Amino acid sequence: MQTSSPYVQTADKNENRPTMSRLTALLFAVCSGLAVANIYYAQPLLDSIAQEFGLAPSSIGIVVTVTQICYALGLFLLVPLGDLLNPRKLIIIQMLFSVVALVLVGTSRSSSLLFTGMAIVGLLAVITQTLVAFAAHLADPSERGRIVGQVTSGIVIGILLARTIAGTLNDWLGWRSVYLFSASLTLLGILALFVVLPRQQPQQLKQSYVQLLGSVLQLYRELPVLRVRGVLAMLIFTAFSILWTSMVLPLSAPPLSLSHTVIGAFGLAGAAGALAAARAGKLADRGLGQKTTGISLVILLLSWLPIGYVHQSLWFLILGVILLDLAVQAVHVTNQSLIYEVRPEAQSRLTAAYMIFYSIGSAIGSIASTQVYAWAGWTGVCWLGASVSAAALLFWMIDRHMHRNLNR
């Protein structure tokens, strides 16, 4: 055994495989945060991008939507490859291509090049989910929820810092500097992962790429928990995207007229979401996933009340952001923990199948929120978000009721 490796060799019933140390889990969390940030940088920059490329405020949400749609495609086309190819090579190669895409966005001189670069960025940002699936594979089953929660905490922090960094750099150096800065950080992440990721070839599936994609679709048919948790993911991330895509519009407009630096700093108010992610994973390990889900969905619905009073006091918005991020991330981690339990040998495909729902919800929320804002203002956006949150709670309650009846 190599004591210098961040992985420790442990024996299980069938094979010797590396397991994940706390330090390695932390690196996975950081790199996951770097990757996911790439699809959230645009949210506080929407008005600046719209002004430069002459896009209408009512249609600027398409920038985020294009990224999310391509993210969904990447989830289906790229993430399952983690069960077929060497994860180490897959992760490093995708991150290298991501650097190229980020540079393209940062240097684009037309809206067509911008959208092309955003599409590629979204497609390759799924490396985040490859890292989560790999972490779930390396984790001991008794602590899988905790490890997934820790890596997801890095994702939450990446989302929050994406908005803060994007807002600050936009005010100082312009929106293009955000993507060039991200490209530099991604290169550093590649170097760290090159050293840390295990070099041995893990046992892989013996099937073609087409068969691999077909097996992802088959998971939907075979696993009711995947279908239920996927729908919950779609609804909670629709609500999440409704808030974060449209929030820049009232904050940057009179009478508030906040700078991009201040608007980006609102992302830090959701830091509780990162704490919730880690805690929710531990609760799922203890068999409390359903209770955690129910409480979190109630909090999600209630969060829209203070959010609606943004023009009365920014403190109301801060409170609402904390509650919403906490609720969404707690449900998200619980979803993943429950799904990973059923097919430990298919972590990458399970991740792809589940996260497709996340991406669909994010895309719907992005385009719907800007359209509703143009039509009904911030009040309309809050009613939209509350309605989606209520639908998520109702869906969960119906599923629980049906599940209890079947078990009688």
Side-chain angles (χ1 to χ4, degrees):
M1 179 172 64
Q2 294 180 349
T3 57
S4 61
S5 171
Y7 294 91
V8 201
Q9 296 294 328
T10 60
D12 54 31
K13 293 181 180 180
N14 301 315
E15 59 177 342
N16 290 326
R17 64 179 180 88
T19 58
M20 177 165 283
S21 69
R22 292 180 180 271
L23 182 60
T24 305
L26 178 60
L27 178 59
F28 270 54
V30 171
C31 290
S32 295
L34 287 175
V36 78
N38 292 331
I39 60 175
Y40 288 96
Y41 285 131
Q43 289 184 347
L45 308 176
L46 290 179
D47 59 334
S48 295
I49 295 174
Q51 291 175 10
E52 177 164 342
F53 290 99
L55 300 173
S58 60
S59 62
I60 187 58
I62 194 67
V63 172
V64 179
T65 301
V66 166
T67 308
Q68 291 291 351
I69 289 174
C70 290
Y71 187 77
L73 290 174
L75 289 170
F76 181 67
L77 298 175
L78 299 181
V79 173
L81 288 172
D83 290 334
L84 189 63
L85 304 176
N86 186 318
R88 183 176 188 271
K89 294 180 180 178
L90 182 64
I91 289 169
I92 291 175
I93 290 173
Q94 288 184 356
M95 289 183 73
L96 284 171
F97 280 112
S98 182
V99 171
V100 176
L102 289 166
V103 172
L104 176 61
V105 172
T107 58
S108 61
R109 296 300 172 186
S110 68
S111 58
S112 59
L113 282 178
L114 173 70
F115 289 141
T116 299
M118 286 290 194
I120 300 173
V121 166
L123 188 72
L124 295 173
V126 296
I127 194 62
T128 297
Q129 303 310 322
T130 304
L131 286 165
V132 172
F134 199 22
H137 170 74
L138 294 172
D140 186 88
S142 64
E143 61 173 12
R144 183 171 290 129
R146 181 186 65 81
I147 292 294
V148 170
Q150 185 173 348
V151 177
T152 303
S153 296
I155 295 174
V156 177
I157 293 172
I159 294 171
L160 300 176
L161 289 182
R163 297 184 178 94
T164 304
I165 292 171
T168 302
L169 288 178
N170 184 55
D171 283 344
W172 288 357
L173 301 171
W175 69 268
R176 296 179 183 278
S177 66
V178 176
Y179 293 95
L180 298 178
F181 178 69
S182 179
S184 301
L185 291 181
T186 302
L187 280 175
L188 293 177
I190 291 171
L191 293 175
L193 289 173
F194 184 82
V195 173
V196 169
L197 291 179
R199 295 177 181 273
Q200 61 265 45
Q201 172 73 40
Q203 184 176 357
Q204 301 296 317
L205 295 174
K206 295 181 179 180
Q207 57 182 211
S208 69
Y209 178 61
V210 174
Q211 290 173 325
L212 181 73
L213 297 184
S215 67
V216 174
L217 299 177
Q218 188 175 356
L219 290 173
Y220 291 124
R221 184 183 65 184
E222 296 176 349
L223 304 177
V225 65
L226 175 60
R227 297 194 298 268
V228 170
R229 291 289 158 170
V231 172
L232 282 176
M234 181 180 67
L235 292 171
I236 64 172
F237 281 105
T238 297
F240 184 84
S241 188
I242 285 171
L243 172 66
W244 286 107
T245 300
S246 60
M247 191 173 71
V248 65
L249 301 175
L251 293 181
S252 61
L256 296 174
S257 301
L258 301 180
S259 69
H260 288 88
T261 300
V262 175
I263 294 173
F266 273 90
L268 297 177
L275 301 178
R279 180 60 179 169
K282 293 179 182 178
L283 291 174
D285 287 337
R286 292 167 51 191
L288 299 175
Q290 290 291 356
K291 185 176 181 180
T292 302
T293 301
I295 294 173
S296 300
L297 290 174
V298 171
I299 294 173
L300 177 63
L301 177 59
L302 295 176
S303 69
W304 289 99
L305 181 61
I307 290 172
Y309 286 93
V310 61
H311 290 104
Q312 279 68 38
S313 173
L314 292 177
W315 288 109
F316 284 120
L317 177 61
I318 292 173
L319 174 61
V321 166
I322 292 173
L323 293 176
L324 185 140
D325 275 18
L326 185 151
V328 167
Q329 299 306 329
V331 176
H332 179 45
V333 172
T334 302
N335 287 348
Q336 291 176 298
S337 298
L338 294 176
I339 291 170
Y340 288 149
E341 289 178 358
V342 295
R343 291 286 179 85
E345 79 284 357
Q347 304 292 5
S348 292
R349 284 167 290 160
L350 283 172
T351 300
Y354 168 74
M355 290 300 295
I356 285 172
F357 285 93
Y358 150 85
S359 192
I360 292 172
S362 296
I364 292 172
S366 296
I367 193 65
S369 61
T370 51
Q371 293 289 338
V372 169
Y373 183 83
W375 172 61
W378 187 244
T379 300
V381 169
C382 291
W383 276 109
L384 176 64
S387 298
V388 173
S389 302
L393 178 59
L394 180 62
F395 176 80
W396 175 80
M397 293 173 65
I398 292 173
D399 175 71
R400 289 293 293 160
H401 178 72
M402 294 175 61
H403 184 73
R404 288 169 180 169
N405 288 340
L406 287 174
N407 290 336
R408 287 179 180 176

